[in-house]
Amino acid sequence: MHRWSRKKSPFPLVALVSLGFIVCTILYHESSIRQIYRDPDQVPQKQPKITYVRPNQSARRSKAPGVLDRFSRCNSTREYSGRKIRWDEAALVSRQRRVDLERCNVFSGRWVFDNMSFPMYSESECPYMSDQLACHKHGRSDLDYQYWRWQPHHCNIKRWSVTEMWDKLRGKRLMFVGDSLNRGQWISMLCLLHSATSKDKRSITPNAPLTIFTSEEYNATVEFLWAPLLVESNSDDPVNHRLDERIIRPDSILKHAAQLEHADILVFNTYLWWRQGPVKLLWSDDRNGDCEELDGLGAMELAMETWADWVTTKLDPRKKVLFVTMSPTHLWSQEWKPGSEGNCYSERAPIDVEGHWGTGSDLPTMRMVDQVLGKLGPRVSVVNITQLSEYRKDGHPSIYRKFWETLKPEQLANPASYSDCIHWCLPGVPDVWNQLLFHFL
Ligand SMILES: *[C@@H]1O[C@H](CO)[C@@H](O)[C@H](O)[C@H]1NC(C)=O
Ligand SMILES: *[C@@H]1O[C@H](CO)[C@@H](O)[C@H](O)[C@H]1NC(C)=O
Ligand SMILES: *[C@@H]1O[C@H](CO)[C@@H](O)[C@H](O)[C@H]1NC(C)=O
Ligand SMILES: *[C@@H]1O[C@H](CO)[C@@H](O)[C@H](O)[C@H]1NC(C)=O
Ligand SMILES: *[C@@H]1O[C@H](CO)[C@@H](O)[C@H](O)[C@H]1NC(C)=O
């Protein structure tokens, strides 16, 4: 049994639902306001008054001085004012709940060892492989992590077909938008797709916030846009960004909008960048660089709502939107092996306890994401990778990747101390995320 299965709404009547919704909205906002004051050192004095602002989707001159970059600073930082995003749910073309056309939930299942059909490509033959993800090349000798197939309980996922995928992409632009996890999925997609292209008919632009793979044969592109916080931020340069002070414009996605609008199929993710402590908010009507500070979950909620507003009010309804849910981390082996002290390092097999859930998948974040995506309904297809990836403690690079900084002797003596238990080896888990994406396209 899944412990965290989606709850059915107990009120079928429209009136009750909308009443319930109002009550829930109030409760929800109250509880998320309270979150801000969870820090025991900070005595709650007064609750900020909630005010609502519409996201700022108005066109902006391209090089306006207000565009955030890595040099942006806050002139001052004060407490969160309680401002929230009011997004335009009424603009949704289709208001009905997400209808489950599937006979079964493809996200509920188990991993099956299958060295006949997996891996779907070879690590060394993929020209787009990243040194962060090429685990075999960097010394991983146990290769079982490449051989697992995701098997839903009551049905099968559509079998991956590279020719069928190219048919779907013909004449189109597919764009992945998000952080390094999403970039891993994009690389996996290139590795899956490149076998059906010829060398002289494909090209890739140099690394930039937007990286574009082009296939002349299919007149199609597969792109990746670095936007780890979805909305405009000071971290929108994939290489030169600052991690210590994250500043976002919670009400504006404008910096990315021009690029997003060119795509036909958009695949978004966002999660881990919100999990590094408080975030600074610089609202777009600010003139003096006065920031507010808010916890990551609260800030992520503002960003998700601004994004949802952009999807409903600005994006051509013919364009497909998919959202990939949280990618779990495996930082504490005691969660699957009580009493142990390590992390994903030296793990060689998936977790086989059905419904296993670890602290790398934050439940309050999941509930917030569920709520925003729930309101978007069928406009956005959810690729719910969280539970299936949660089982794959064996799928991370750990020490088998390129590290940018030189490792110290004491680190080398204790491999778990520098293991990467966040990203995923390729071939591996993200290939299955793409198989699911293919299933839903
Ligand atoms: C697949 O795995 C089985 C069981 O581990 C093994 O006997 C077999 O040789 C493997 N086949 C290939 C092609 O690797
Ligand atoms: C390529 O695709 C674009 C749409 O993305 C279309 O406008 C154009 O006509 C196509 N070109 C050819 C040669 O098919
Ligand atoms: C929207 O953002 C632009 C650019 O930062 C700014 O000039 C404008 O005042 C903002 N509008 C509102 C209503 O906040
Ligand atoms: C910070 O304050 C100074 C002095 O008041 C001002 O010149 C500057 O533009 C402000 N910074 C921002 C980002 O608004
Ligand atoms: C994703 O799946 C989990 C169960 O694994 C469920 O609790 C959650 O509500 C799902 N999220 C979305 C957005 O569908």
Side-chain angles (χ1 to χ4, degrees), residues 56-61 64 66 249 251-252 254 284-285 287:
N56 186 343
Q57 311 282 14
S58 67
R60 177 199 297 188
R61 276 165 288 125
R249 284 215 193 280
D251 59 337
S252 174
L254 276 171
S284 68
D285 61 1
R287 290 289 166 272

Side-chain angles (χ1 to χ4, degrees), residues 113 115-116 147:
F113 189 80
N115 60 2
M116 304 307 278
Y147 299 135

Side-chain angles (χ1 to χ4, degrees), residues 294-330:
L294 181 56
D295 64 280
L297 176 57
M300 178 175 173
E301 184 181 3
L302 298 174
M304 289 286 296
E305 287 175 326
T306 294
W307 166 81
D309 187 76
W310 175 82
V311 168
T312 54
T313 63
K314 291 286 169 187
L315 188 65
D316 182 339
R318 285 166 301 182
K319 300 197 168 177
K320 260 189 194 299
V321 186
L322 298 104
F323 189 90
V324 180
T325 60
M326 324 185 272
S327 170
T329 56
H330 291 91

Side-chain angles (χ1 to χ4, degrees), residues 73 75 287-289:
R73 295 283 183 282
N75 265 349
R287 290 289 166 272
N288 308 311

